[in-house]
Amino acid sequence: MAAPFMEKLAEYLGSPEPAVRLILSVLLGYPFALVYRWFFFHQPATVVHLFHTFSGLALAIFNFGSQVYHSFLCIVIQFLLLRLMGRTVTCVLSSFIFQMIYLLMGYYYTATDEYDIKWTMPHCVLTLKLIGLALDYYDGGKEQSQLSADQKKSALNSTPSLLEVFGFSYFYGGFLVGPQFTLRNYQHLVSREMSDVPGQPPNSVVPAMKRFGLGLITLSVFAIGGLHYSDSYYLTDEFEAHPFWYKCVYILVWVKINLYKYISCWLITEGVCILSGLGYNGKNEKGENQWDACANVRLWLFETTPLFTGTISSFNINTNAWVARHVFKRLRFLGNKLLSQMFTLLFLAIWHGLHSGYLICFSVEFIIVNVERQAQSLVRDSPLLTSIAQSHLYPFVYVVQQLIHWLFMGYPLVPFCLFTYDKWLKVYSSIYFCGHIFFFVAFLVLPYLRKVFVPRKRGSEKKED
């Protein structure tokens, strides 16, 4: 009965059936959270773990059927690695290698040239969760003086049970599309600490509904705008025939609309986490409750920042934080921040999939971010440019900066969404590789501009000698 109903519903909505199942599953997180608050909040930890495990498994089976065994198998093996290898580097490396190879093999055998909703989609979220679990378990065996502030918050002082790992992995508020959260936070949830009223269900219905409402708005924008600004239009003869300026404007508008696909899911799932209590983040300096522990997007910053780095820091926040904590900062032994950044972006590209478009996207992002930082440094160190940026001309500067920002924010996302080289190469050729040229020229010109606009300090020549 369920399959014909879902087929008819998908046909009625004009959307692929897997997409409809995914949206329904994300929305089902709200009744699950309410059931948890009403019936399971005061139950023993074992009962709570069972509820989270079976509710998450139900969503997994509803979306991917028998393919749920992939996640189940990886969770069991990860638990065995923790138990058999303990708090060792061997356990960390074994976990990383096994989980990543399993994910990449999944990509290899299931990937197509289109964006498909299949078991590898939640599995990439699970992969980070399980690798992070191994790292947090390893950190729990270190001396406190050896840990950073972030590591102290997430380090595990005891060995988790299998049921605990299942509940953590299948938690309905994060299994399908994220966000990332630590086992320590999940343990605080189960022990009734993630609440503004410890020991009682949190007063989080209103903040949860606010995120839910924003999620529906952004989902509507994507659903309507996506009809007019689709990925497939890039590959049509009609797009090819348009003038250069039109193609640039299309990219600028397309990227804003396309990113709402991710933002809407994150906002809705954030509301689920807030409703359950997992989104509680203590009080701020004013004594106000914060519900942003599971925030994966800062919508106001995303909409208003004129900086590439601002958009990156406002988008997919928990994944970026995971990568910063477990990859970038742990590459400190390389002794080179730029090299650590390169390896971090390479990891992100591979984690997303095996298509060349991911490598191109993150390599262009690497170039853009570093050129922007040079430009910011130039403006900051130049009295003339700083005065212009702070003058009454700033509104004009802001508009120009936003146009450049979103044009070239969309530029690396073209291969990210088109996947294969024959597709993204066709689009890049039609706009004359303008992004590559722009940032290559900027890279060459910025040092010269620095000599022109930044006054030399006395004695600087001697220091350079």
Side-chain angles (χ1 to χ4, degrees), residues 33-92:
L34 289 174
V35 169
Y36 165 67
R37 289 169 61 100
W38 292 339
F39 302 106
F40 292 97
F41 190 86
H42 294 288
Q43 295 298 317
T46 300
V47 177
V48 176
H49 295 322
L50 285 169
F51 171 70
H52 290 155
T53 298
F54 284 111
S55 56
L57 273 171
L59 295 179
I61 294 170
F62 175 65
N63 283 272
F64 312 111
S66 62
Q67 291 178 329
V68 71
Y69 78 85
H70 292 292
S71 60
F72 193 90
L73 176 64
C74 286
I75 293 168
V76 171
I77 290 178
Q78 184 59 57
F79 172 76
L80 292 175
L81 289 174
L82 297 182
R83 281 299 177 99
L84 297 176
M85 296 183 178
R87 303 178 191 274
T88 62
V89 174
T90 304
C91 178
V92 171

Side-chain angles (χ1 to χ4, degrees), residues 194-215:
M194 299 292 278
S195 174
D196 54 333
V197 188
Q200 298 297 324
N203 297 306
S204 57
V205 175
V206 172
M209 290 302 101
K210 287 181 179 179
R211 305 314 277 177
F212 174 69
L214 281 174

Side-chain angles (χ1 to χ4, degrees), residues 96-134:
F96 183 89
I97 293 169
F98 171 78
Q99 299 296 351
M100 283 300 296
I101 288 179
Y102 199 101
L103 175 66
L104 295 180
M105 291 298 289
Y107 287 148
Y108 179 79
Y109 284 108
T110 65
T112 67
D113 292 346
E114 304 293 333
Y115 183 83
D116 299 317
I117 297 175
K118 48 189 179 294
W119 69 266
T120 53
M121 185 198 71
H123 201 85
C124 72
V125 177
L126 179 65
T127 297
L128 294 191
K129 197 177 282 188
L130 295 178
I131 293 173
L133 173 61

